Amino acid sequence: MTSLRPLTRRGRVPRALLPVGALLLALPLAACGSESDSEDKAGGGTSPAAEAFEPVTIEHAFGSTEIEEQPERVATWGWGSGDAALALGVTPVAMPKYSYGADENGRMPWQTEAIEELGGEEPALLSETAEAPIEEIAAAQPDLILANYSGITEGDYEKLSKIAPTVAYPEEPWATPWREVITTVGEALGKADEADQLLEDIDAQVAAAAEEHPEFAGKTIAAVAIDPSAFYVYRGADPRVEFLEDLGFELAPSVDELDTADETFYYMISTEEADKLTSDVLVSYSPNEDAAAEVDKSAAAKAMQQFQDDTVARVVGESLVSSVSPPTALSLTWGLDDFIEALVPAVEKADAQG
């Protein structure tokens, strides 16, 4: 699974089959499954956390899900829900395997750090497939499945719900606000207060970054992924854009004016229309320096004022791109400093333009 998800409404497309621009779009109790957990469950024992758990009902796109008992074996699918669980001290029994931006373990670097810190058994890694790997998830024997930032279909949901209570996204696939991913996971795990505190801590770090860079405030911005065959623009509802707004930027009016309404969180425009996407600053995501150089030489770049004025913030590197595309409970602060560093030169150039 990638972080800047090139997704259809059916779910993820395997990265190996996608061009660079699409790859950029495709772009989230105790330690679960331990021997002592199994013994307690088998012996009928209950932990204080389980005894204190209050049943919850979570509404989502496919109805509602009741969670009546403290989850002990949590599986996650999509982007961000696994990070939220880890940030709240719960290691999933199964979570997606990644290749884009991942380490040798098939995990994002911030996930590996959190898993090592929590200790206990490591999660099983689910195959990178276009649709949820139902059999693999079932094999992990979860008692809760979190897919609240994903592309599962209603058919997927029905199959997953036969395995365990399943939480889907609230309205549209791949469009759940990153904060809501965290609060929903917290609610499902009986850790709503901890989730609220986690968000307060993250927001404090983002607010501090915005305060350190008052020059961001009021600057109009557009976020894009470009490759030789396509030009993708992120909508205002996309979590990537919401994060930029948290830092003080404003969505450029041209983003809405050019919207073709062909996908949930992004749309595509032709190279001929690229010059109409005006903004003070353009954020361009690229997996590596070679790809960034290709973007700079593209016909779209040659047509855009931002490239001519050097007001392009180039976010380069698979892990960094993934950390903010969209951000998660773990990744946002992991990549924050490098992301700010990428933004500053472009904003300074925009200021110089007057």
Side-chain angles (χ1 to χ4, degrees):
M1 237 179 222
T2 73
S3 53
L4 292 180
R5 318 231 164 244
L7 300 168
T8 65
R9 294 178 70 88
R10 287 291 302 164
R12 295 176 298 107
V13 178
R15 289 178 194 70
L17 304 180
L18 296 168
V20 170
L23 283 172
L24 288 175
L25 279 168
L27 299 167
L29 324 237
C32 301
S34 68
E35 182 178 348
S36 59
D37 289 338
S38 300
E39 290 174 353
D40 287 346
K41 191 170 183 180
T46 56
S47 68
E51 292 177 351
F53 183 82
E54 296 183 4
V56 296
T57 299
I58 299 177
E59 306 289 335
H60 51 74
F62 304 125
S64 62
T65 297
E66 294 184 6
I67 305 171
E68 298 180 351
E69 297 180 350
Q70 175 77 60
E72 295 182 348
R73 297 182 59 82
V74 180
T76 66
W77 180 250
W79 180 257
S81 54
D83 287 15
L86 288 166
L88 294 171
V90 176
T91 302
V93 293
M95 61 190 299
K97 180 179 181 179
Y98 301 96
S99 55
Y100 186 93
D103 58 24
E104 65 277 7
N105 299 308
R107 300 187 297 244
M108 304 311 295
W110 51 86
Q111 293 175 336
T112 294
E113 291 175 7
I115 289 168
E116 290 176 351
E117 183 176 343
L118 289 173
E121 291 187 19
E122 296 189 357
L125 297 182
L126 303 169
S127 297
E128 289 189 279
T129 52
E131 298 179 355
I134 306 297
E135 292 183 1
E136 292 181 27
I137 293 173
Q141 299 182 319
D143 55 16
L144 175 66
I145 301 169
L146 297 171
N148 51 320
Y149 186 94
S150 74
I152 64 170
T153 64
E154 187 167 8
D156 294 330
Y157 171 75
E158 291 174 354
K159 293 175 183 177
L160 292 170
S161 294
K162 293 178 181 179
I163 300 169
T166 299
V167 179
Y169 41 82
E171 294 179 0
E172 297 288 342
W174 303 112
T176 311
W178 67 269
R179 287 183 176 83
E180 190 170 342
V181 172
I182 296 172
T183 55
T184 299
V185 171
E187 184 178 7
L189 298 179
K191 292 176 173 283
D193 291 343
E194 292 92 330
D196 289 342
Q197 184 59 56
L198 174 61
L199 277 175
E200 286 185 21
D201 295 343
I202 294 172
D203 285 342
Q205 293 188 56
V206 175
E211 186 175 353
E212 290 175 7
H213 294 280
E215 68 272 21
F216 293 174
K219 292 288 190 303
T220 60
I221 202 157
V224 302
I226 307 171
D227 71 24
S229 63
F231 191 119
Y232 306 92
V233 183
Y234 294 108
R235 286 194 170 99
D238 185 78
R240 301 164 186 80
V241 176
E242 292 175 348
F243 177 36
L244 287 163
E245 290 175 328
D246 289 339
L247 290 169
F249 294 96
E250 296 178 4
L251 183 67
S254 62
V255 174
D256 288 334
E257 292 166 1
L258 295 171
D259 196 338
T260 57
D262 55 0
E263 289 292 346
T264 302
F265 61 93
Y266 71 94
Y267 62 88
M268 297 175 64
I269 60 175
S270 66
T271 300
E272 291 73 21
E273 291 183 298
D275 64 313
K276 298 177 183 178
L277 187 68
T278 57
S279 60
D280 294 330
V281 175
L282 184 76
V283 179
S284 177
Y285 302 94
S286 298
N288 53 56
E289 294 291 350
D290 289 343
E294 288 298 315
V295 169
D296 289 347
K297 294 185 292 185
S298 68
K302 293 176 181 178
M304 298 184 73
Q305 192 65 43
Q306 298 96 321
F307 282 91
Q308 296 173 32
D309 294 339
D310 201 19
T311 57
V312 179
R314 297 168 177 82
V315 181
V316 181
E318 292 185 1
S319 293
L320 177 59
V321 167
S322 296
S323 73
V324 293
S325 307
T328 73
L330 294 175
S331 73
L332 189 151
T333 52
W334 183 92
L336 182 59
D337 290 345
D338 289 339
F339 188 57
I340 296 295
E341 185 177 338
L343 293 169
V344 169
V347 174
E348 290 177 345
K349 289 286 187 178
D351 282 335
Q353 296 294 325

